[in-house]
Amino acid sequence: MIRVTMATVPLLLLSACGGESDTPLQKDNTAQPNTPTTQQPSNDCGANFTAERSLNQFEFSSVFWHADSEVLQPKPEFRLYADKHSLGATHTLSSDETLCMLSAAVFGSTSAETWQGASNSSFKQGELFYYAPELIFNTPLPDFTSLADWRNKGQPSTVSQPIEAVKLTIHYRDRDNNLITFGDQNTTAAKLVCNKSTLDLTLQVQPVIATAVSKMDPAYCEEKQVGLESETHCLAVAIVQETGLENCQLDSTSAIIPDQTGNKSTVKIAGSLIFNSGTDAALKINSVVI
C-alpha cells in the first residue's frame, strides 16, 4: 500500500529537557559501509516514489582573483540549501527498502532524526538532527587578464558566464542550524539542465582586508589613498541575486546519502529543481535507483 507522509508544519522549538518533537521515519538501520560505493542499478524505489523538499536558503559569494598558491582559485558560486526554516516537504513511497526510506527522509521530510551512531564532537547518541540537501552552482571567472584590461574593455559592471558545474551535498543539520558533513567523500556532480545555461555576474573594485592582501593577484589590484591610510582595492566578481533560473531538470545523478549512524550509501536520483521565487526553490525527486 502506498504511504504518503506530509511534513509541512513548522518545527517546534527545542525544550530544555528534550528535542524537537517531530517523529522520525522508521527505518531499518542495517549498517552500510563507511566509504560510499556506487552500485550498479539493480533495484529502485518503485514508480510511485516521489519526494519534494524546500531549499529556502540562498547565498551568493563574492570572490577575488587569487595569486598562485596551493589552494584552488575560488569561483563565483550560488548556493542553496535547506536550513531550519525550510518547512515544506512531502514524500510518497511504496517500498520498505532501507535506502528508499532513507531517500524519502533526506529529500522529502523535515522531521527530526535520532543520532544512533557513536557520540562525537557534533552529535551525542540519542540527539536529534535533520537532513539538509545543498546544491552549489559555479561559473568560471570572467576573461579579464588584469584590472587594466577590465577598464580597457569599458569596465562592465555585469557579465554573463556559463554554468560550469553544479554540486550536490547532503548535510546533517544540528539543533543550532549548523551544517555538518563527516569525511571528504560527500559531494557529487549534479546533472542539471536549466532554462538558462548562464548566470549574470557583477564586477566592482572593493577594498581587501590587510591579512588577505598577500593572497590576491596583484594584476587585479591597486593602491588607493583613503584619508591618511593606503588601502589595497581589487576587482571582485559575484553572481547576482536575481539568477533568472526558473526550472532545471535533474538527470540521473549520484547522491551520497548519510544515515543516522554516520555511514553513507550512494543512490541514483532524478527529478527537477523549481524556483518559486528569489528566495525559495523546490527540489523534486521522482526516481531513486539503489
Side-chain angles (χ1 to χ4, degrees):
M1 179 176 69
I2 298 173
R3 297 190 299 278
V4 180
T5 302
M6 299 294 293
T8 57
V9 295
L11 299 175
L12 299 179
L13 294 176
L14 291 165
S15 61
C17 59
E20 300 183 41
S21 62
D22 300 68
T23 303
L25 292 170
Q26 299 301 312
K27 293 184 283 295
D28 173 7
N29 290 303
T30 303
Q32 303 294 329
N34 280 313
T35 301
T37 56
T38 302
Q39 305 174 31
Q40 293 298 320
S42 58
N43 193 11
D44 61 35
C45 296
N48 295 313
F49 181 94
T50 61
E52 180 174 337
R53 185 73 186 275
S54 171
L55 304 183
N56 65 308
Q57 185 65 37
F58 287 16
E59 293 181 0
F60 301 83
S61 68
S62 177
V63 301
F64 297 91
W65 276 262
H66 278 204
D68 291 338
S69 66
E70 295 180 358
V71 299
L72 294 176
Q73 170 67 58
K75 296 182 179 181
E77 72 178 31
F78 163 43
R79 179 184 181 207
L80 61 159
Y81 60 93
D83 73 1
K84 67 179 180 180
H85 301 295
S86 171
L87 306 178
T90 180
H91 67 261
T92 301
L93 72 158
S94 55
S95 171
D96 291 326
E97 289 283 348
T98 301
L99 288 182
C100 296
M101 297 288 288
L102 182 57
S103 297
V106 169
F107 296 110
S109 175
T110 57
S111 295
E113 302 284 340
T114 303
W115 183 253
Q116 298 175 12
S119 297
N120 54 58
S121 58
S122 298
F123 297 115
K124 305 302 179 186
Q125 195 167 58
E127 187 175 347
L128 298 182
F129 72 91
Y130 307 85
Y131 288 113
E134 174 194 65
L135 288 164
I136 294 179
F137 288 72
N138 282 118
T139 68
L141 287 166
D143 189 22
F144 298 112
T145 59
S146 65
L147 180 59
D149 182 45
W150 172 67
R151 285 180 169 145
N152 290 336
K153 293 177 179 177
Q155 56 186 53
S157 58
T158 61
V159 296
S160 293
Q161 291 289 96
I163 297 172
E164 185 175 64
V166 184
K167 294 171 286 187
L168 170 68
T169 305
I170 308 301
H171 301 280
Y172 299 105
R173 177 176 64 77
D174 66 14
R175 59 186 292 175
D176 297 319
N177 208 31
N178 298 309
L179 298 183
I180 298 165
T181 309
F182 298 126
D184 298 325
Q185 295 178 314
N186 301 287
T187 300
T188 57
K191 300 176 183 177
L192 282 176
V193 179
C194 301
N195 64 293
K196 279 185 60 180
S197 61
T198 62
L199 292 174
D200 294 331
L201 282 68
T202 59
L203 294 108
Q204 58 181 324
V205 178
Q206 295 182 347
V208 177
I209 59 174
T211 54
V213 169
S214 62
K215 299 178 182 179
M216 300 297 102
D217 186 334
Y220 297 88
C221 300
E222 64 184 3
E223 295 300 313
K224 284 191 174 182
Q225 195 71 24
V226 180
L228 299 177
E229 302 293 330
S230 177
E231 294 182 353
T232 300
H233 290 226
C234 301
L235 187 62
V237 59
I239 297 174
V240 297
Q241 188 159 353
E242 295 298 326
T243 62
L245 293 175
E246 298 174 354
N247 61 79
C248 303
Q249 293 303 307
L250 178 67
D251 293 331
S252 181
T253 290
S254 294
I256 298 172
I257 53 176
D259 66 13
Q260 301 100 320
T261 68
N263 290 320
K264 305 166 191 173
S265 300
T266 300
V267 300
K268 291 277 190 179
I269 60 172
S272 60
L273 178 65
I274 307 298
F275 290 83
N276 302 314
S277 66
T279 57
D280 183 73
L283 178 61
K284 301 180 180 182
I285 305 301
N286 55 32
S287 173
V288 176
V289 177
I290 63 177

